Amino acid sequence: MKQNADNYKGSEVTMTPHGEVDALYMALALEEAATAAAEGEVPVGAIIVSDDRVIARAHNRPIALHDPTAHAEILAIRAAARYAGNYRLSGTTLYVTLEPCLMCAGAVIHARIGRVVFGARDPKGGAVVSLGRVFADTRLNHHVDFTGGVMEGMCAEILSSFFQQKRL
């Protein structure tokens, strides 16, 4: 797979070599996002998979934890590293309902995650295809394959519904 924005298809379920599997794991990430929404957190969920096994799942918790770094991706990476007994997560895939921000994209690179699959684009903070293209930067010491737009409509809907409720 190429490591640039060409992987972003923008369809409900991106048909990649991983197609149905990506949708299955993204559905689990959406469950985590729903938990975040129920807790009053921005509804973003993340799953980390290794060898066809979920090794970590998390959702946004910056409000509850009083921690601006408690994004779903960061919490999932921490849990996966504990599970693996290693801060390097080579060969894993991160599924996340929203395009990772710069902080989370950096953590993915430092953790050596092999692939990221995200649902909705983040036009205000996305560092993969929207505002930046961190994973496409060939100067970095680790390169991450990515696919965007997996279950994009559902991932975007949970976010927009959450913010509509906040505005009421």
Side-chain angles (χ1 to χ4, degrees):
M1 249 183 201
K2 290 165 42 177
Q3 300 169 23
N4 62 30
D6 293 342
N7 289 347
Y8 182 81
K9 306 295 185 207
S11 60
E12 182 63 22
V13 175
T14 301
M15 293 317 293
T16 67
H18 310 277
E20 290 179 17
V21 172
D22 284 352
L24 173 76
Y25 289 125
M26 188 60 74
L28 295 176
L30 277 163
E31 289 176 6
E32 287 294 321
T35 300
E39 293 174 1
E41 303 274 4
V42 174
V44 177
I47 302 290
I48 297 181
V49 175
S50 178
D51 297 322
D52 298 320
R53 179 184 191 144
V54 174
I55 63 168
R57 52 190 304 158
H59 55 275
N60 270 5
R61 301 204 59 221
I63 297 167
L65 298 177
H66 309 289
D67 180 357
T69 69
H71 289 196
E73 299 96 320
I74 299 295
L75 297 176
I77 288 169
R78 289 174 182 163
R82 281 191 302 274
Y83 175 86
N86 194 335
Y87 71 102
R88 296 274 168 93
L89 299 172
S90 301
T92 62
T93 300
L94 167 68
Y95 292 86
V96 61
T97 57
L98 182 65
E99 177 184 358
C101 69
L102 188 57
M103 173 184 69
C104 293
V108 164
I109 291 166
H110 286 294
R112 306 296 194 267
I113 291 173
R115 181 170 178 250
V116 170
V117 179
F118 67 89
R121 276 187 179 212
D122 183 357
K124 294 182 178 181
V128 179
V129 297
S130 295
L131 294 179
R133 300 189 188 290
V134 173
F135 296 157
D137 192 331
T138 58
R139 297 170 296 173
L140 296 170
N141 64 338
H142 177 69
H143 300 287
V144 180
D145 288 331
F146 67 88
T147 303
V150 174
M151 298 178 69
E152 179 180 25
M154 294 174 77
C155 293
E157 175 59 31
I158 194 168
L159 285 159
S160 44
S161 292
F162 176 80
F163 287 112
Q164 282 175 352
Q165 289 297 318
K166 287 285 186 192
R167 287 191 277 281
L168 294 178

